[in-house]
Amino acid sequence: MSRIPAFNHRWLPWLLLGPQLIVTLVFFIWPAGQAVWQSFLIEDAFGMSTEFVWFENFAALLTDEEYHSSFMTTLVFSLGVTGLSMGVALLLAVMADRVIKGSQIYKTLLVWPYAVAPAVAGVLWLFMFNPTIGIITYLLDQMGYTWNHSLNGGQAMILVVIAAAWKQISYNFLFFLAGLQSIPRSLIEASAIDGAGPAKRFWTIIFPLLSPTSFFLLVVNVVYAFFETFGTIHAVTQGGPGGSTSTLVYKVYDDGFIGLDLGASAAQSVILMMIVGLLTVVQFKYIERKVQY
Amino acid sequence: MVACNGGRLGEKVNEIAEKFNVSQNKYEVKPVFKGNYTETMTAAVSAFRAKKHPHIVQVFEVGTATMMSAKGAVYPTWQLMEDSGQAFDANDYLASVTGYYSTNDGKMLSMPFNSSTPVLYYNKQALTKAGVQPPKTWEEMETAGKKLQAAGYKCGFTTGWQSWVQLENFSARHNIPFATNNNGFGGLDTELTFNGDLQVKHITKLAEWQQSGLFSYGGRRSDSAPKFYSGECAMYMNSSASYAGVKSNIQGFDFGVAELPYWEGAVKKPQNTIIGGATLWTLKGHKKDEYKGVAEFFTFLSSAEVQADWHQFTGYLPITHAAADLTREQGFYQENPGTDVAITQMTSVTPTPNSKGLRLGNFVQIRDIINEELEKVWAGQVSAKQALDKAVQRGNKPLRKFERQNG
């Protein structure tokens, strides 16, 4: 039997790939190319005078203290969001997996926040933690703790991490739950018969078997924290106070759309593109090896 | 089409446009809400790059230098009025308002629309309870604040727009430069100078008060307003255009308006304050006939009736002498005491180069830098001197960049 696939038309593969290729070209390659081009230019807001400067925008960024601190901010933020959202989601999933009565209700309620738009999620948390009128601020105040994230950078970071993680918990929960349910009962029962307690069963059987799910979620969550949390940060702190929650993505927006400094903003996007590429490679190369499929 | 800023005042803008549309049948003005000031400006810039821009865009004072430098994109108001044959005399307008938006030889580049200046709002009951008069000076503010705290008030005063009120207007009022080159009016090679002794002293005092609770920081824009509305803070410094908002939001007390305080130890007589708010810029690239409509709309907008109504409704300054006179004749200031404070504060002295206004490129970023550094002071992380030095050093970078971009 021939191993050549049944499609021996020249145009059919192209036709099938076409829509996807066009979408990628128009919505990714083209804008990305524009960003690369713009990153070599110094230009006024209206685009009246343009100067080609090679790597000057990049050089300026690399020597800019603010950019360095934005880097650190992004790291702290991503670790916080990923850790919190995956940790809580796993805990909830393990608990929901054990529930027998009314499990559908729990699951539905836990998945709900995912449907909330990032900006709305941000505003909800902002209301509760508002330094002047927030209910949680009030409760903390009763306990003798002053909450003012408009001044305290650490508190601002905690708030954006909570707001960004909260939404992602639902998503992670769904995957963890599916992962848990696909673990063969017989394995768990066998270990139970051998006398392993719930904690031991979790760490030696369930957790390793969940690792493909965890790995997938790790990638998704880091990417989420890096790139999709703009709306939340914008709604909650606008990068403040003192730039303490200004992540790399937020800074791209701030310099480009508020500052109208398109060259510097584009250079930052290019650096971000490289970071994503790098992150993905590192994750697949080094972390995936430890994953047991 | 006009791209403009909305909010509570948006309805009033729609009303004015509607009146203009009804007053003639050749042109139609269509106001479009595009978000806050920065968003509006960004939207207009990107629309211009895509050649889909409106005829008129409302730009806040901070964007002035950017607009002025965009010579190929902007249709100067004086020229627009001349080309369209509209009767127009720059002397009809308040010099302290138009100065901010004119060339050095006095030619108006944009049409002032909503201009305001910071004033001090105070809670009458609180001040009476503490047994103090509305403070005229910062020295009095300190004693008044302490008495208010002794009388059980959590905070003496708060402020909106910290850079605008506590540094830009502070510098103007004390006749000290905010930047070189006559605050940037003299050219693009301007450097910031707001880390002078007096500014440092002022911010040091504010930081001290932030710790003792006499002053309470509440956010970058007007986020601090609820602190005053709720009675938590007895005084509040913000734009004269907050008048309507204050009036409708305060709960259970009366308020008064006073001039912005000054350090008596530093100046005998305070200078005028400078304006904030926005003007209407005309963008090039549309049909000639349509610009006639723009010019006609500007004439309509500056008419005494429209201006007086706008001024009385919003608390923004009247842009023409005629509108101010009309408001006075109508007895508005007598019925609404405090509404004329802003005008007196703006016009009682002749502006000096330090109090004429500010013309800084990339001012949006500079304000952000100032906000960031000041927030570090309020949080007690750095001293006022460190913060202002750092802000000057950081702020000079966007200025150099602007010089590069527009040189």
Side-chain angles (χ1 to χ4, degrees):
Chain A
M1 246 174 73
S2 157
R3 290 181 136 235
I4 295 167
F7 304 108
N8 48 12
H9 304 280
R10 271 165 177 264
W11 48 267
L12 189 62
W14 288 106
L15 189 73
L16 293 173
L17 279 174
Q20 183 59 44
L21 283 177
I22 290 170
V23 167
T24 312
L25 220 61
V26 171
F27 291 104
F28 180 70
I29 307 286
W30 186 27
Q34 284 225 315
V36 173
W37 170 242
Q38 190 80 51
S39 71
F40 292 125
L41 305 176
I42 285 186
E43 197 175 61
D44 74 293
F46 284 90
M48 292 296 172
S49 67
T50 306
E51 191 188 344
F52 188 83
V53 294
W54 284 111
F55 293 97
E56 202 180 308
N57 286 324
F58 291 94
L61 277 181
L62 296 180
T63 53
D64 183 6
E65 275 178 52
E66 299 307 311
Y67 195 63
H68 298 164
S69 74
S70 174
F71 236 104
M72 287 312 293
T73 305
T74 313
L75 275 184
V76 173
F77 176 74
S78 306
L79 281 176
V81 171
T82 311
L84 185 66
S85 63
M86 286 182 67
V88 175
L90 183 58
L91 186 72
L92 291 172
V94 170
M95 295 202 292
D97 194 33
R98 290 174 157 199
V99 174
I100 300 173
K101 238 183 187 173
S103 64
Q104 280 307 323
I105 298 171
Y106 289 111
K107 285 174 204 164
T108 312
L109 287 177
L110 283 167
V111 171
W112 248 354
Y114 194 59
V116 178
V120 177
V123 170
L124 289 176
W125 286 98
L126 187 59
F127 266 130
M128 288 190 279
F129 281 96
N130 184 301
T132 320
I133 53 167
I135 177 85
I136 296 182
T137 313
Y138 177 76
L139 294 176
L140 287 172
D141 199 45
Q142 297 293 307
M143 290 187 274
Y145 185 78
T146 314
W147 180 276
N148 188 351
H149 65 261
S150 64
L151 271 187
N152 186 318
Q155 291 177 351
M157 179 55 95
I158 293 172
L159 182 57
V160 287
V161 166
I162 293 177
W166 177 66
K167 252 187 68 58
Q168 199 63 10
I169 287 173
S170 307
Y171 180 86
N172 294 346
F173 168 78
L174 266 187
F175 278 87
F176 275 132
L177 190 65
L180 284 171
Q181 285 172 347
S182 66
I183 293 172
R185 291 283 134 189
S186 53
L187 280 178
I188 299 166
E189 280 159 15
S191 67
I193 292 165
D194 287 344
K200 181 111 181 154
R201 290 202 297 269
F202 179 78
W203 290 114
T204 54
I205 299 189
I206 300 177
F207 193 69
L209 286 173
L210 265 183
S211 61
T213 313
S214 309
F215 171 67
F216 163 75
L217 286 178
L218 183 68
V219 177
V220 170
N221 278 281
V222 170
V223 170
Y224 165 79
F226 254 77
F227 299 98
E228 287 167 48
T229 46
F230 169 81
T232 313
I233 295 178
H234 191 51
V236 178
T237 61
Q238 288 167 25
S244 56
T245 53
S246 179
T247 57
L248 293 171
V249 170
Y250 196 79
K251 208 166 143 44
V252 168
Y253 161 81
D254 211 31
D255 289 353
F257 290 87
I258 303 295
L260 297 171
D261 185 355
L262 297 177
S265 176
Q268 293 175 37
S269 321
V270 172
I271 293 179
L272 269 178
M273 281 192 253
M274 294 194 288
I275 293 176
V276 179
L278 207 70
L279 263 180
T280 316
V281 170
V282 168
Q283 281 181 330
F284 276 94
K285 232 184 149 133
Y286 296 99
I287 305 178
E288 202 183 15
R289 279 187 193 161
K290 299 202 174 91
V291 176
Q292 306 165 11
Y293 281 107
Chain B
M1 196 167 58
V2 192
C4 64
N5 192 244
R8 189 175 42 81
L9 305 170
E11 285 162 39
K12 196 68 186 172
V13 174
N14 285 338
E15 188 188 313
I16 293 175
E18 195 49 43
K19 272 189 193 155
F20 173 73
N21 292 339
V22 172
S23 75
Q24 43 77 49
N25 50 20
K26 266 181 89 180
Y27 309 102
E28 196 194 347
V29 170
K30 215 168 69 186
V32 183
F33 171 59
K34 281 288 177 188
N36 68 30
Y37 282 140
T38 19
E39 287 158 359
T40 305
M41 183 157 164
T42 307
V45 165
S46 42
F48 185 82
R49 282 168 161 259
K51 309 240 179 305
K52 291 216 170 9
H53 50 286
H55 296 77
I56 307 170
V57 57
Q58 185 193 21
V59 175
F60 60 164
E61 85 283 6
V62 176
T64 302
T66 306
M67 298 304 288
M68 280 184 74
S69 305
K71 293 204 174 64
V74 163
Y75 199 164
T77 298
W78 66 270
Q79 203 174 359
L80 167 84
M81 296 311 248
E82 205 174 277
D83 292 352
S84 322
Q86 285 283 335
F88 174 74
D89 184 358
N91 294 326
D92 291 345
Y93 295 80
L94 294 184
S96 43
V97 174
T98 54
Y100 206 110
Y101 309 103
S102 300
T103 58
N104 288 334
D105 53 346
K107 283 182 168 161
M108 247 166 81
L109 294 168
S110 62
M111 177 56 83
F113 179 55
N114 51 328
S115 301
S116 61
T117 202
V119 289
L120 175 74
Y121 296 94
Y122 58 90
N123 178 331
K124 280 187 179 166
Q125 273 80 352
L127 263 58
T128 314
K129 198 175 154 198
V132 289
Q133 292 296 310
K136 281 197 181 63
T137 65
W138 282 106
E139 284 89 347
E140 288 174 17
M141 178 64 99
E142 186 165 20
T143 28
K146 281 181 183 153
K147 282 187 185 161
L148 280 161
Q149 283 184 304
Y153 284 89
K154 210 171 150 194
C155 124
F157 71 97
T158 185
T159 186
W161 296 95
Q162 50 184 350
S163 168
W164 183 53
V165 180
Q166 305 301 344
L167 277 176
E168 297 162 35
N169 271 291
F170 178 84
S171 302
R173 198 141 174 80
H174 294 84
N175 200 13
I176 46 178
F178 188 81
T180 58
N181 271 339
N182 294 337
N183 282 343
F185 279 63
L188 288 177
D189 54 344
T190 305
E191 304 232 328
L192 300 169
T193 55
F194 58 75
N195 55 347
D197 290 342
L198 194 56
Q199 287 108 331
V200 169
K201 180 194 162 188
H202 182 59
I203 301 300
T204 308
K205 270 294 189 190
L206 286 179
E208 188 188 310
W209 295 338
Q210 167 76 27
Q211 297 308 324
S212 71
L214 202 147
F215 162 61
S216 173
Y217 174 67
R220 292 183 177 185
R221 292 167 180 249
S222 299
D223 323 56
S224 50
K227 284 182 187 281
F228 179 68
Y229 298 159
S230 66
E232 182 186 333
C233 293
M235 287 174 276
Y236 172 50
M237 277 165 243
N238 206 350
S239 154
S240 54
S242 308
Y243 189 90
V246 169
K247 199 171 175 179
S248 59
N249 281 305
I250 51 168
Q251 291 148 5
F253 63 88
D254 297 318
F255 75 101
V257 185
E259 292 196 10
L260 210 60
Y262 59 96
W263 286 103
E264 207 175 12
V267 282
K268 283 268 134 7
K269 186 173 159 43
Q271 266 300 321
N272 61 301
T273 47
I274 52 180
I275 56 170
T279 54
L280 301 177
W281 291 80
T282 315
L283 296 177
K284 281 185 180 167
H286 291 281
K287 290 196 197 90
K288 205 175 170 195
D289 183 53
E290 292 171 358
Y291 285 111
K292 282 204 171 135
V294 174
E296 218 165 276
F297 179 60
F298 281 174
T299 306
F300 174 79
L301 204 60
S302 341
S303 70
E305 293 74 28
V306 173
Q307 271 302 313
D309 177 44
W310 168 255
H311 161 56
Q312 293 169 23
F313 179 80
T314 62
Y316 280 111
L317 298 165
I319 56 170
T320 60
H321 295 289
D325 293 344
L326 182 63
T327 306
R328 195 165 295 121
E329 280 163 28
Q330 288 169 343
F332 179 77
Y333 299 132
Q334 257 128 37
E335 281 166 38
N336 300 277
T339 42
D340 54 345
V341 168
I343 305 169
T344 326
Q345 184 178 283
M346 285 286 301
T347 54
S348 56
V349 286
T350 318
T352 66
N354 291 329
S355 71
K356 211 178 143 194
L358 297 167
R359 191 159 297 161
L360 304 173
N362 286 332
F363 201 1
V364 181
Q365 281 118 309
I366 296 174
R367 270 216 181 141
D368 271 347
I369 290 171
I370 293 174
N371 279 329
E372 288 175 14
E373 295 301 331
L374 285 181
E375 278 168 353
K376 289 181 193 163
V377 179
W378 312 145
Q381 292 165 4
V382 295
S383 74
K385 174 93 179 115
Q386 284 167 326
L388 292 181
D389 285 348
K390 187 85 187 290
V392 163
Q393 178 216 329
R394 282 180 63 196
N396 279 332
K397 281 192 200 162
L399 278 176
R400 292 294 71 75
K401 188 107 185 206
F402 188 76
E403 196 182 355
R404 239 343 251 288
Q405 287 165 335
N406 293 283

